[in-house]
């Protein structure tokens, strides 16, 4: 019991030390564990179940738009990686190299994929011949390796799980439309399934993906006011097509290069979910992706009929299509309450002998910690209502938080003051010059999160250099 | 069209050259494609959809027995790998080594996981303290790398996809029971979902997994009479527990080593499915894991009402819970017929203007190529019946084939003659001596597939040395 108590022992308050709070939640909710190998983590059952929920919802959304899943090799020959210069320059400093296979040294070293544009391009080259073969709309679920210096659970690690979509098209318009379509899929998924509002926009040249002509992003705001890039979609134009010679004959029998996109979302979104919804009692999981939506905790479970009633309620809720568990372990009810709060189960049902006698139970929402009594005959209907309410309210709360932490800076002075006093999104005008971006980063440690689709003309001049500016940028401190 | 025609061009006859037939089917059914990197393959949409079906069914079966999914790092430090001597000796000759991470050479080289006993053991060591923490019943879906010399699509490649289950228990009995339970899960999955009968048994010392105390296997028989090991379950005793120091305090407060198992199934089973059910027209996929169970092919689809009717039938079948597609491409019906046969779609519906007028359609089973007419009002019910019949008949046919190619050899002379004249499973007595196994392999190129659970005393003496023998072994040529 001593070991178990430790698990739900108090965690660092998020207001006191948000970084430590985050690590505490990851560890005490048993999502991850460090491995012996620096920067590599073990994803434990509670963490992996979140990823499975994410995969399931996202994959269904992908397939509804015609995406097909495939699997490419995990190793990339150096010569293949180097065909497209910008990509390799972007990734070369952070790849892991395999130099020996079996008992023999390799004649060419192979990198563990940091991303798979090169492999998909090499595959498409031989797979596509005519306009009839287009588009190809492929995705793969896999792990990738990037040799990061600083690592944190889910947010940055040397290996992470993700999906990477790769598509080729006959026309620029179609490729551009796919880029936007997938960004919308990501934004809808975050809003509807993870209850996380985001801002959609385009990355600046400085912040875009190595090798892309344009990178689009959804940016979310964490509880501490820092930004998290939560999904990106890239338009490559014909860059890879030219480097890898991916051509097709169009309807007029003319040889053309294809137009290409890629888009990815990673286990980082689990970090987003933790940092947007979590509180000082631990995780708060949105019902739609919660491995367990409802936990039933029997009180005085050794008394006759209590466990039986708990199982009966579970069966009833399961029959209504919910994911439900009974905690029938020999821990105390108080311990179980704290544990399911730490683990973020959206709704808990408490039921004891007196409740059974009175034909009722107690429902406790994880998000608001509100309690209510519920007649047993209404349980399924009420639980369903509450789960929907929790999902909706979590989104609304996160949206309000984002709005309350989104500021406008009309000039350099306001910009400086805002970042001195607050942490959040700051809307400000930008001249389009990279030098200003660099200077802002140097001065305030913030980066341009995106040039949002929803533009507002908050001023006439760049917040950095004072020259005329037409683009509004969202700035922020990023994870 | 020329390119498309090629796809369903005749494939090598399986009776003429089974190996070439297999490769042709893999390529022409568009399951895989070779990558630039020797021994690594690209799994294309049609191939990956099979793996998704397998994953879905197998994962549900796992979870029904309490398995939890996790994810371990893909790289293993050499010192960690080397803690258990037998495992490293078994795998060292065929691992890929990472020696550089980012811009710096690593101080210790890391191998790309060939299997993850070492990582799970290292994790369990710190994760488990008391008998209350046991059992741990974990699984991961991932890819592994083994630097094989000869490779063939699905059957043997330098990287392959699999699941690997790893469990630890408080008692030997519980661990042994889990080993058997998972072997049964595999056998049931092959029988019920893939329509493949198997023989369950124990591997000999020579054939068992490196580091295991006992390896259990399910062996399937391919159409050409060769055997395919299709799933294995290992009992490790306390070997890894001792090497990695995985201990717990039992109920009497005594420190004990845990008892461990692991079990795995790979993309090889796709190869098994191809080689058990396929024919000279291509793939034959069992309905339960077919990405598309029913394909509707409109005839004279440009005539008014034909496509509409095809879509209507699809919607009706989909509503009954079936996975259905309409092939409304501009290929000819004859081409579409050949194509869906190559791809192995279990059932096809042909519908043209005259059928519509007569209120009927034609149904063609992929497994038997039998045709029948079906009144449109009975379509859903009949299709459901036929899919169930196909699933059952495919199993029965495979079972009969296995039985017809299982031989008994009572003595050395019969043993020799059988392997000279036939390819299949051969039941014969074995003295238990490894020298005889080695000699049999040398003489006939066959290996002991397993010591089957269902023993028969087919003779009194070893088929090799003539000494007394009590164990019956199944021998065969293996993939």
């Amino acid at each position: 019991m001593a070991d178990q108590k430790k698990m739900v022992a108090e965690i660092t308050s998020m207001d006191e030390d948000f970084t430590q709070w985050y690590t505490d939640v990851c560890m005490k909710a048993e999502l991850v564990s460090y491995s012996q190998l620096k920067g590599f983590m073990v994803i434990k059952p509670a963490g992996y179940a979140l990823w499975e929920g994410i995969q399931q919802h996202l994959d269904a959304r992908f397939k509804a738009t015609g995406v097909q899943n495939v699997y490419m090799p995990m190793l990339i020959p150096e010569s293949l990686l180097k065909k497209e210069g910008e990509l390799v320059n972007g990734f070369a400093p952070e790849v892991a190299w395999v130099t020996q296979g079996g008992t023999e040294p390799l004649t060419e070293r192979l990198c563990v994929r940091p991303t798979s544009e090169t492999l998909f391009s090499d595959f498409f080259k031989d797979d596509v011949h005519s306009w009839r073969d287009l588009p190809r709309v492929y995705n793969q679920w896999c792990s990738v390796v990037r040799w990061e210096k600083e690592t944190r659970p889910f947010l940055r690690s040397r290996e992470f799980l993700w999906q990477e979509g790769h598509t080729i098209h006959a026309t620029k318009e179609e490729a551009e439309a796919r880029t936007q379509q997938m960004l919308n899929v990501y934004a809808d998924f975050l809003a509807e399934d993870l209850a996380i509002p985001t801002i959609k926009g385009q990355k600046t040249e400085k912040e875009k993906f190595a090798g892309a002509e344009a990178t689009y992003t959804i940016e979310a705001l964490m509880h501490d006011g820092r930004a998290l890039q939560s999904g990106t979609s890239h338009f490559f134009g014909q860059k890879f097509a030219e480097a890898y010679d991916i051509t097709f004959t169009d309807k007029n029998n003319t040889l053309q290069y294809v137009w290409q996109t890629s888009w990815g979302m990673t286990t980082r979104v689990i970090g987003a979910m933790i940092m947007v919804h979590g509180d000082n009692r631990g995780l708060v999981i949105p019902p739609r992706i919660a491995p367990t939506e409802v936990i039933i905790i029997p009180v005085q479970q050794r008394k006759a009929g209590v466990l039986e009633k708990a199982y009966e309620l579970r069966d009833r809720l399961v029959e209504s299509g919910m994911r439900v568990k009974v905690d029938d372990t020999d821990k105390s009810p108080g311990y179980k309450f704290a544990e399911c709060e730490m683990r973020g189960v959206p709704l808990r049902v408490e039921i004891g002998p007196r409740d059974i006698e009175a034909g009722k139970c107690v429902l406790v929402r994880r998000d608001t910690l509100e309690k209510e009594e519920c007649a047993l005959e209404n349980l399924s209907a009420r639980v369903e209502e509450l789960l929907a309410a929790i999902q909706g309210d979590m989104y609304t709360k996160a949206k309000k938080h984002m709005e309350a932490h989104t500021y406008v800076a009309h000039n350099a002075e306001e910009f400086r003051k805002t970042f001195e006093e607050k942490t959040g999104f700051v809307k400000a005008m930008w001249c389009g010059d990279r030098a200003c971006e660099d200077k802002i980063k140097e001065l305030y440690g913030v980066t341009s999160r995106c040039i949002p689709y929803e533009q507002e003309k908050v001023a006439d001049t760049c917040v950095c250099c004072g020259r005329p500016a037409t683009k509004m940028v969202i700035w922020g401190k990023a994870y």
Side-chain angles (χ1 to χ4, degrees), chain A:
Chain A
M1 290 299 282
D3 276 345
Q4 292 175 337
K5 277 262 167 61
K6 237 174 24 198
M7 203 198 83
V8 290
E10 244 178 58
I11 52 175
T12 306
S13 157
M14 62 199 301
D15 313 299
E16 208 172 280
D17 183 346
F18 193 78
T19 303
Q20 190 56 46
W21 168 86
Y22 176 77
T23 309
D24 286 356
V25 170
C26 285
M27 296 301 151
K28 301 227 164 118
E30 300 193 322
L31 302 181
V32 294
S33 152
Y34 297 113
S35 83
Q36 207 190 87
L37 188 57
K38 182 183 165 346
F40 287 75
M41 65 181 180
V42 172
I43 307 183
K44 295 168 80 169
Y48 199 81
L50 291 173
W51 185 237
E52 286 181 306
I54 290 166
Q55 282 190 302
Q56 192 191 322
H57 280 90
L58 206 50
D59 199 68
R61 288 178 185 269
F62 289 167
K63 283 180 177 151
T65 75
V67 172
Q68 295 183 300
N69 286 336
V70 300
Y71 188 77
M72 294 282 156
M74 70 148 80
L75 300 179
I76 311 172
E78 186 167 16
S79 57
L80 185 63
L81 186 73
K82 286 194 167 163
K83 274 196 179 170
E84 203 290 316
E86 284 181 62
L87 185 89
V88 71
N89 289 339
F91 282 102
E94 55 179 46
V95 298
W97 291 102
V98 171
T99 55
Q100 181 153 355
T103 50
E104 289 155 36
L106 299 174
T107 53
E108 178 182 12
R109 61 182 188 164
L110 310 169
C111 87
V112 182
R113 66 181 157 221
T115 180
S116 304
E117 277 74 12
T118 54
L119 291 165
F120 275 88
S121 294
D122 191 55
F123 169 74
F124 286 141
K125 165 175 65 74
D126 298 321
D127 196 52
V128 165
H129 307 284
S130 121
W131 60 272
R132 285 170 176 277
D133 300 327
L134 294 173
R136 290 272 196 252
V137 183
Y138 289 167
N139 175 63
Q140 75 178 358
W141 292 94
C142 64
S143 76
V144 290
V145 168
R146 298 179 188 175
W147 220 256
E148 306 275 0
K149 296 241 160 63
E150 297 295 318
T151 62
R152 293 188 58 196
F154 297 119
L155 301 178
R156 197 171 292 278
S157 46
R158 287 188 170 172
E159 178 185 10
F160 58 85
L161 303 179
W162 78 343
Q163 61 65 220
E164 48 177 324
H166 296 270
T167 76
I168 50 174
H169 306 266
T171 66
K172 182 179 180 183
E173 293 66 36
E174 198 185 291
E176 277 179 336
R178 174 56 72 170
T179 318
Q180 298 309 323
Q181 183 180 26
M182 299 320 289
L183 194 75
N184 288 332
V185 165
Y186 288 149
D188 292 348
F189 165 69
L190 257 76
E192 294 162 15
D193 295 327
L194 295 185
I196 299 177
T198 54
I199 291 175
K200 289 183 221 173
Q202 183 170 355
K203 287 283 184 191
T204 61
E205 285 298 303
K206 174 181 159 80
E207 298 290 334
K208 77 176 188 188
F209 184 77
E213 282 195 7
T215 290
Y216 303 91
T217 180
I218 51 169
E219 298 285 326
L221 196 72
M222 303 300 100
H223 187 83
D224 65 345
R226 288 176 68 178
L228 191 84
Q229 173 182 309
S230 304
T232 48
S233 186
H234 314 290
F235 174 70
F236 289 113
Q238 297 181 308
K239 237 182 217 178
F240 281 96
E242 285 166 18
Y244 289 78
D245 199 28
I246 319 169
T247 58
F248 70 101
T249 44
D250 68 11
K251 289 188 185 177
N252 305 318
N253 219 22
T254 309
L255 207 64
Q256 303 275 7
Y257 285 118
V258 300
W259 300 84
Q260 200 160 351
T261 84
S262 81
W263 24 275
M265 185 169 274
T266 80
T267 31
R268 276 201 122 186
V269 290
I270 297 176
M273 195 207 75
I274 298 168
M275 291 194 291
V276 168
H277 299 304
D279 63 21
N280 281 329
R281 297 193 187 200
L283 268 186
V284 184
I285 306 176
R288 281 180 65 90
I289 69 134
T292 303
E293 292 169 289
V294 182
I295 187 152
I296 300 176
I297 298 185
V299 176
Q300 294 186 277
Q301 68 187 30
R302 288 202 191 107
K303 292 235 165 135
V306 174
L307 273 177
E308 290 69 15
K309 185 53 101 179
Y311 297 140
E312 183 202 316
L313 296 181
R314 174 196 60 196
D315 294 345
R316 226 199 286 166
L317 293 174
V318 165
E319 216 164 279
S320 307
M322 289 171 251
R323 299 181 293 281
V324 188
K325 277 199 177 146
V326 173
D327 186 347
D328 54 10
T329 58
D330 61 0
K331 303 165 196 163
S332 73
Y335 182 89
K336 292 178 186 178
F337 297 161
E339 188 179 53
C340 73
E341 285 173 3
M342 176 65 71
R343 292 179 179 280
V345 183
L347 191 68
R348 94 170 168 254
V349 178
E350 305 174 2
I351 181 120
R354 267 173 303 176
D355 300 307
I356 296 172
E357 215 171 293
K360 62 176 188 58
C361 62
V362 174
L363 305 179
V364 186
R365 289 174 63 150
R366 174 63 186 91
D367 61 332
T368 58
L369 300 170
E370 282 169 337
K371 279 191 185 202
E372 65 176 61
E373 290 196 343
C374 178
L376 293 182
E377 72 260 29
N378 296 336
L379 185 65
S380 292
R382 185 59 187 148
V383 165
E384 220 164 306
E385 268 175 24
L386 278 176
L387 289 174
I390 293 169
Q391 183 79 32
D393 292 352
M394 285 176 71
Y395 179 79
T396 306
K397 188 179 164 195
K399 186 99 193 280
K400 277 191 187 150
H401 179 268
M402 185 171 85
E403 283 163 0
H405 293 80
T406 299
Y407 310 98
V408 177
H410 301 90
N411 53 51
E413 176 57 13
E414 278 183 29
F415 195 72
R416 182 188 61 75
K417 263 192 90 168
T418 310
F419 276 114
E420 274 176 16
E421 290 165 14
K422 326 256 188 191
T423 313
F425 284 146
V426 176
K427 298 176 174 177
M429 300 309 285
W430 174 55
C431 61
D433 199 335
R434 176 159 176 166
C436 287
E437 253 184 302
D438 289 339
K439 192 169 169 196
I440 287 172
K441 184 165 186 191
E442 197 193 309
L443 287 174
Y444 312 113
V446 302
T447 50
S448 71
R449 304 315 310 148
C450 67
I451 306 161
Y453 290 167
E454 284 187 26
Q455 283 283 309
E456 300 163 46
K457 194 168 168 36
V458 299
D460 293 318
T461 54
C462 176
V463 86
C464 181
C465 65
R467 283 177 296 175
T470 54
K471 279 178 191 146
M472 183 187 78
V473 162
I474 303 263
W475 304 87
K477 280 200 177 63
Y479 272 99

